[in-house]
Amino acid sequence: MDLLVDEGFDVRAPGELAAGSLVCVGCGYSVVLEVDDDLPTCPACGGTQFRRASLFESRTLDTEAISPASAPPTWLDEVRAQIDLTSRYLAYEEDGEPIVFELPAGWTRIGRSSAADLRLDDVTVSRRHALVVRTPENELRALDDRSLNGLSVNGDKVEWTALTAGDELEIGRYRLYVLGD
């Protein structure tokens, strides 16, 4: 396989072992890998070529490269039928199975760190990726916690926003859905 060399940086392909911050050559999506991690296919554009990130370039996701949010998955209807809709939840899919996380009152930390309340163990998720707060009035708000690839709600990149039932949060390769009133 012939690989391009972009801007003087060594380009790598999926399956190769890599560590550190890498950028998709196709769309600019950043991934952070631990030692001996296999390089994934780009979660944003499906690209297969990455280069080492420069300290001098922006380390944010090119949101233009991400396709708009698709229709909600069919498993959401089944999950809604099984939960107490007076509470608030985030639901997502892991290994083909729906996962439902009840949001407690106060702050919920979401990220790859073992200190996160909702841990999403994937290289596309920052250690401290996002925060969701459930207020005493049962309202929800989401905050990007200085993540590498940002937080998107319903396809729009946000820093801080209100959440309502049916909203879709994109955190790395995960799509989380807000459930409940």
Side-chain angles (χ1 to χ4, degrees):
M1 167 189 271
D2 288 327
L3 296 179
L4 300 171
V5 175
D6 184 44
E7 299 174 23
F9 295 99
D10 184 30
V11 175
R12 301 179 183 264
E16 289 185 37
L17 298 178
S21 297
L22 301 171
V23 176
C24 174
V25 171
C27 72
Y29 190 95
S30 298
V31 294
V32 179
L33 302 176
E34 302 294 327
V35 175
D36 295 334
D37 280 345
D38 285 336
L39 191 58
T41 300
C42 179
C45 72
T48 59
Q49 297 178 346
F50 291 79
R51 64 176 171 76
R52 193 144 311 273
S54 165
L55 293 174
F56 304 105
E57 70 183 313
S58 171
R59 292 181 160 198
T60 58
L61 174 63
D62 176 3
T63 54
E64 298 299 316
I66 296 180
S67 58
S70 56
T74 56
W75 55 260
L76 271 179
D77 291 332
E78 185 178 315
V79 168
R80 280 188 189 99
Q82 297 174 2
I83 61 173
D84 172 13
L85 290 176
T86 61
S87 192
R88 305 301 293 265
Y89 306 86
L90 290 176
Y92 62 99
E93 194 171 19
E94 180 77 61
D95 297 327
E97 293 295 320
I99 307 291
V100 179
F101 179 87
E102 185 170 7
L103 292 163
W107 292 94
T108 298
R109 296 171 296 205
I110 302 172
R112 200 176 72 235
S113 167
S114 59
D117 301 305
L118 175 52
R119 187 164 189 261
L120 302 174
D121 191 16
D122 188 80
V123 297
T124 61
V125 177
S126 294
R127 285 178 177 82
R128 294 174 45 185
H129 203 107
L131 296 163
V132 173
V133 63
R134 182 174 172 191
T135 68
E137 297 79 24
N138 209 28
E139 296 171 342
L140 294 180
R141 293 191 69 81
L143 170 71
D144 182 358
D145 195 10
R146 300 178 308 248
S147 66
L148 184 64
N149 292 321
L151 169 66
S152 294
V153 175
N154 300 325
D156 296 322
K157 192 167 185 172
V158 299
E159 293 292 324
W160 174 247
T161 191
L163 296 174
T164 59
D167 283 347
E168 177 188 84
L169 285 75
E170 184 177 333
I171 297 178
R173 71 168 183 86
Y174 290 89
R175 294 195 187 269
L176 295 88
Y177 300 90
V178 178
L179 302 176
D181 288 327

